[in-house]
Amino acid sequence: MIPVEEARARILDVLVPTGAETVPLAEAWGRILAAPVPARLTQPPADVSAMDGYALRAADGAPGAGLTVIGSAPAGHPFAGSIGPCQAVRIFTGGLLPDGADAILLQEDATAEGDRVTVNEAVQPARWIRRRGLDFTAGDTLLEAGRKLTARDVGLAAAGNHPWLSVHRRPRIAILATGDEIVLPGEPLPPGGIVSSNAHALSALVRAAGAEPMVLPIAGDSEDAIAQAAAAARGADLLVTTGGASVGEHDLVQQALGPQGFALDFWKIAMRPGKPLIWGRLGQTPLLGLPGNPVSALVCGVLFLCPAIARLAGLPPAPLPFQPAVLGADLPANDRREDYLRASVQRDAGGRLVVTPAPRQDSSMLRILAGSDALLKRAPLAAALPAGSLVEVLLLQDFGV
Amino acid sequence: MIPVEEARARILDVLVPTGAETVPLAEAWGRILAAPVPARLTQPPADVSAMDGYALRAADGAPGAGLTVIGSAPAGHPFAGSIGPCQAVRIFTGGLLPDGADAILLQEDATAEGDRVTVNEAVQPARWIRRRGLDFTAGDTLLEAGRKLTARDVGLAAAGNHPWLSVHRRPRIAILATGDEIVLPGEPLPPGGIVSSNAHALSALVRAAGAEPMVLPIAGDSEDAIAQAAAAARGADLLVTTGGASVGEHDLVQQALGPQGFALDFWKIAMRPGKPLIWGRLGQTPLLGLPGNPVSALVCGVLFLCPAIARLAGLPPAPLPFQPAVLGADLPANDRREDYLRASVQRDAGGRLVVTPAPRQDSSMLRILAGSDALLKRAPLAAALPAGSLVEVLLLQDFGV
């Protein structure tokens, strides 16, 4: 049994990001940039007004002064001429500052009549003018490679004049559920049969992590069935198996895949839930074997599959997003396996997380996991802890899971 | 100018959730349930073993006892007979407990030889047996209507034997950018032109909020163009406009849409960035008019459009997810408009958020917004605050924005 951290490191160590593909800006939200995005223009392209009002020479902006309005400069319609002494141009937010102007008279500080305008409040030079390049200058790097694009980033890339972006291809994750006892939801259920839930939960987890799931047909507990199903996964970036525990899952998967070129790295980790975790390679395809119990499969999915997908997807290396939390109940001492307790969290008045483990932690109880907010980490051999102690949690919503 | 909270309440007040549609379980992640999901079966369907080992009568499980192994019960292959005195059945995780058995001898506590097994550690009645219905019982409500489905929920619905789910139709949000000065990214850019960023950022925000964006062609600053473009939005659940500020945006939108049946509710809110915010109805279609400045458009998107989409999408009413945070720098007093400062956040060792506003808050500076983590709320007329004070923030990642 190897430690959890070492297992994760060995998984991440051999994975490489997918290549780049070109996507339209409108499809880029949530994708991972494969190349930096430079500004292709300067924004604003010239000095512009930040308000509606009048462009003028600051020297002409004393209270009581009267000016002749010689034209207008709405956004998108620059004024072609130049402003001279005692002249003004009607201007609107985003309008280019006309030649000769160096100040803005706010419309609420002015009285207009025909082509004349009277200054009611003294103008300040440069006030209400947005200088050329205030937001960015052509050539600036607006967004770095490896960034997961937010809605704001999409807006910024648009403003930088990019109709297309280069992003990492979504990793393709094949999911193979094994087990004589499982059937697809809605299919006829034989005696002793169980409806397959892991493949569908993991498929959703794969989507949440930004990858493309490919759910393979269920393979029964025979070497032939497993070998045949796994062959379908050779084009995937990662093959995830789950289940087969009824006949000693590691043995069966290894026995079935050995002749197909399976090379094992490790298959037991010091963790609860989820001791049996397979990591290896089927030909060119990395293979992650998850336990068959639904809770074990999903918890191992969060701890190993999500980071694996992040690596494949081109995100920069990052530790798991553990957060400190205050324990809401006493905890007993832990044994030698790192434990991940299903727990609910609340925030206290000061914004601190308070975490309370679910009273039952059986790894078959999917309903308790679905109703939980967090996984509470217990180190191997951790001592008993009283309520109020500080512990570490992973919030499931941080994984979209 | 009406207060922010009142504006949001007036928006939410008139919106109703979309109807239900049937989607395959495999497409249900992230969708909002329109009907509760009942368990269609009991899980586990009968008492099962939680471990690999031997099923036996607890009375036969004393150390040193020898038993005859009369069959096996892997998951999916129930043992057809019954266990009598001094008999055992080989059993595996998930295997149905055979008739007559009431205990499990772990395989690591047993010595097997041919069809004989010897007990090395005393068995405990009921230990390692998962009782029928441990996870759920047929008829239990597994998931409530209004729930946004996580990966775990998808697994639970699968386990409850649902191949299809009833979810709210994704709201269709039409997005109309107006302005003579704006052009699509990559299109020829005239003098004084600006590349359109709002529609694309808002489209991504709409996706992040779980709705379907429909980006309408840009409308120039004329009543005809706006009226024509808006007509294309009549099938949408909500029409969002942005921009047109160069010629007095509220006036232009209202002037253009009045003859089309536009009924205004309000168009100015006491907020920065984003004073001009239109709310009304174009025929049957609710209309939200956002400011043209990119930062104003996105901040108003978070504060008004995201909650509007949540309501349309069928999520239960919920306040905005404000979190307490410790101020990382002094703040000046605020004026009468509620202010949302762009800010970065970090966590201190105790897990508390520490928030520091960006040094420049101009509403045209999209790059600063893209680089921010949070919006720091300042109440109208709030007094100056020293660093270390407690303030409220919205984390932009909580909106997927």
Side-chain angles (χ1 to χ4, degrees):
Chain A
M1 295 206 300
I2 65 170
V4 170
E5 200 54 59
E6 182 189 333
R8 188 159 44 237
R10 280 162 73 165
I11 290 170
L12 297 181
D13 198 43
V14 297
L15 297 176
V16 294
T18 60
E21 65 176 348
T22 300
V23 295
L25 180 75
E27 302 292 333
W29 175 74
R31 303 298 299 268
I32 319 292
L33 273 181
V37 175
R40 286 177 166 166
L41 40 73
T42 295
Q43 178 57 26
D47 295 354
V48 298
S49 178
M51 298 292 276
D52 292 350
Y54 299 85
L56 71 171
R57 305 178 338 144
D60 292 338
L67 300 110
T68 305
V69 179
I70 60 169
S72 75
H77 301 281
F79 177 73
S82 180
I83 290 180
C86 297
Q87 292 183 332
V89 160
R90 181 81 170 111
I91 200 164
F92 299 89
T93 304
L96 295 200
L97 195 71
D99 283 350
D102 59 359
I104 300 293
L105 169 66
L106 298 186
Q107 68 184 21
E108 51 265 47
D109 295 339
T111 305
E113 200 180 337
D115 66 349
R116 298 286 296 172
V117 63
T118 305
V119 177
N120 298 333
E121 296 277 345
V123 304
Q124 297 170 273
R127 185 84 178 100
W128 307 121
I129 294 174
R130 291 188 177 128
R131 291 297 173 198
R132 177 176 194 276
L134 175 69
D135 202 1
F136 51 79
T137 300
D140 285 355
T141 296
L142 297 178
L143 299 164
E144 301 281 357
R147 186 171 171 97
K148 184 173 181 178
L149 291 165
T150 66
R152 296 165 285 141
D153 295 338
V154 168
L156 187 58
N161 207 17
H162 289 266
W164 305 95
L165 292 175
S166 178
V167 300
H168 286 279
R169 176 175 59 72
R170 288 192 194 277
R172 280 189 295 264
I173 313 295
I175 300 168
L176 174 60
T178 67
D180 281 347
E181 76 280 23
I182 60 170
V183 298
L184 291 168
E187 300 268 51
L189 195 62
I194 299 286
V195 182
S196 169
S197 63
N198 284 357
H200 310 291
L202 290 170
S203 170
L205 176 148
V206 164
R207 273 189 217 277
E212 290 285 353
M214 172 167 65
V215 176
L216 302 176
I218 294 171
D221 285 319
S222 81
E223 294 187 18
D224 273 2
I226 293 176
Q228 198 177 331
R234 288 193 182 264
D237 296 299
L238 176 65
L239 168 58
V240 176
T241 66
T242 169
S246 59
V247 287
E249 68 186 315
H250 34 80
D251 289 335
L252 187 62
V253 168
Q254 288 187 64
Q255 281 167 29
L257 299 184
Q260 316 295 318
F262 179 67
L264 179 74
D265 183 359
F266 64 79
W267 62 265
K268 268 194 182 172
I269 55 170
M271 175 181 156
R272 182 185 324 102
K275 184 169 69 174
L277 187 88
I278 300 173
W279 178 243
R281 189 174 279 275
L282 180 64
Q284 294 302 306
T285 311
L287 183 148
L288 178 66
L290 299 178
N293 266 323
V295 174
S296 307
L298 272 166
V299 172
C300 287
V302 167
L303 294 174
F304 301 103
L305 180 52
C306 285
I309 291 173
R311 173 65 53 93
L312 288 168
L315 284 169
L320 286 178
F322 283 105
Q323 290 192 33
V326 178
L327 197 52
D330 296 345
L331 274 184
N334 190 24
D335 66 12
R336 71 203 172 98
R337 285 157 74 186
E338 189 162 304
D339 204 353
Y340 286 87
L341 302 172
R342 280 67 76 197
S344 58
V345 295
Q346 293 187 296
R347 284 195 188 274
D348 67 13
R352 293 189 314 173
L353 293 173
V354 179
V355 61
T356 307
R360 301 197 66 167
Q361 295 286 334
D362 188 291
S363 64
S364 72
M365 296 175 78
L366 184 52
R367 192 183 188 180
I368 285 179
L369 177 64
S372 297
D373 309 306
L375 300 176
L376 193 175
K377 176 183 168 181
R378 296 283 282 150
L381 306 175
L385 277 184
S389 305
L390 216 55
V391 292
E392 284 190 303
V393 299
L394 292 172
L395 298 183
L396 290 163
Q397 71 175 19
D398 285 348
F399 297 83
V401 167
Chain B
M1 294 206 301
I2 66 170
V4 170
E5 200 55 59
E6 183 190 333
R8 188 158 43 235
R10 280 162 72 162
I11 290 171
L12 296 181
D13 198 41
V14 298
L15 297 176
V16 293
T18 61
E21 66 176 347
T22 301
V23 295
L25 180 75
E27 303 292 332
W29 175 74
R31 303 298 298 269
I32 319 291
L33 274 181
V37 175
R40 288 179 165 164
L41 41 73
T42 294
Q43 178 58 26
D47 295 354
V48 298
S49 178
M51 299 290 278
D52 293 350
Y54 299 85
L56 71 171
R57 305 178 337 146
D60 292 337
L67 301 109
T68 303
V69 179
I70 60 169
S72 75
H77 300 281
F79 178 72
S82 178
I83 289 180
C86 298
Q87 291 182 332
V89 160
R90 182 80 169 111
I91 200 164
F92 299 90
T93 304
L96 295 200
L97 195 70
D99 282 350
D102 60 0
I104 300 292
L105 170 66
L106 298 186
Q107 68 184 20
E108 50 265 48
D109 296 340
T111 305
E113 200 181 336
D115 66 350
R116 299 285 297 171
V117 63
T118 305
V119 178
N120 298 333
E121 295 276 346
V123 303
Q124 296 171 274
R127 184 85 179 99
W128 308 122
I129 293 174
R130 290 188 178 129
R131 292 295 173 198
R132 176 176 194 276
L134 175 69
D135 202 1
F136 50 79
T137 299
D140 285 355
T141 296
L142 297 179
L143 300 164
E144 301 282 357
R147 186 171 171 97
K148 183 174 181 180
L149 292 165
T150 67
R152 296 165 285 140
D153 296 337
V154 169
L156 186 58
N161 207 17
H162 289 267
W164 306 96
L165 293 175
S166 178
V167 300
H168 287 279
R169 177 174 60 70
R170 288 190 193 279
R172 280 190 295 265
I173 313 296
I175 301 167
L176 174 60
T178 67
D180 282 347
E181 77 278 24
I182 60 171
V183 298
L184 291 167
E187 300 269 51
L189 195 62
I194 299 286
V195 182
S196 168
S197 62
N198 285 357
H200 310 292
L202 290 170
S203 169
L205 176 148
V206 164
R207 272 189 216 278
E212 290 284 353
M214 173 166 64
V215 176
L216 302 176
I218 295 170
D221 285 319
S222 82
E223 293 187 20
D224 273 3
I226 292 176
Q228 199 178 331
R234 289 192 183 262
D237 297 298
L238 176 65
L239 167 58
V240 176
T241 66
T242 169
S246 60
V247 287
E249 68 186 315
H250 34 80
D251 289 336
L252 187 61
V253 168
Q254 288 187 63
Q255 282 167 28
L257 299 184
Q260 315 295 319
F262 179 66
L264 178 74
D265 183 1
F266 64 79
W267 61 264
K268 268 194 181 173
I269 54 171
M271 174 180 156
R272 182 187 321 104
K275 184 169 66 173
L277 186 89
I278 300 173
W279 178 242
R281 187 174 282 273
L282 180 63
Q284 294 303 306
T285 310
L287 183 148
L288 178 66
L290 299 179
N293 266 323
V295 173
S296 308
L298 272 166
V299 171
C300 287
V302 167
L303 294 174
F304 302 103
L305 181 52
C306 285
I309 292 174
R311 174 64 54 94
L312 288 168
L315 283 169
L320 286 178
F322 282 105
Q323 290 192 33
V326 178
L327 197 52
D330 297 346
L331 274 185
N334 189 25
D335 66 13
R336 70 203 174 100
R337 285 157 73 185
E338 189 163 303
D339 203 354
Y340 286 87
L341 303 172
R342 281 67 77 196
S344 58
V345 295
Q346 293 187 296
R347 285 195 187 274
D348 67 14
R352 293 190 313 174
L353 293 173
V354 179
V355 61
T356 307
R360 301 198 67 167
Q361 297 284 335
D362 187 290
S363 64
S364 72
M365 296 175 79
L366 184 53
R367 192 183 189 180
I368 284 178
L369 177 64
S372 297
D373 309 305
L375 299 176
L376 193 176
K377 176 183 168 181
R378 295 283 282 149
L381 305 175
L385 277 183
S389 306
L390 217 54
V391 292
E392 283 191 304
V393 299
L394 291 172
L395 298 184
L396 290 164
Q397 70 176 18
D398 285 348
F399 297 84
V401 167

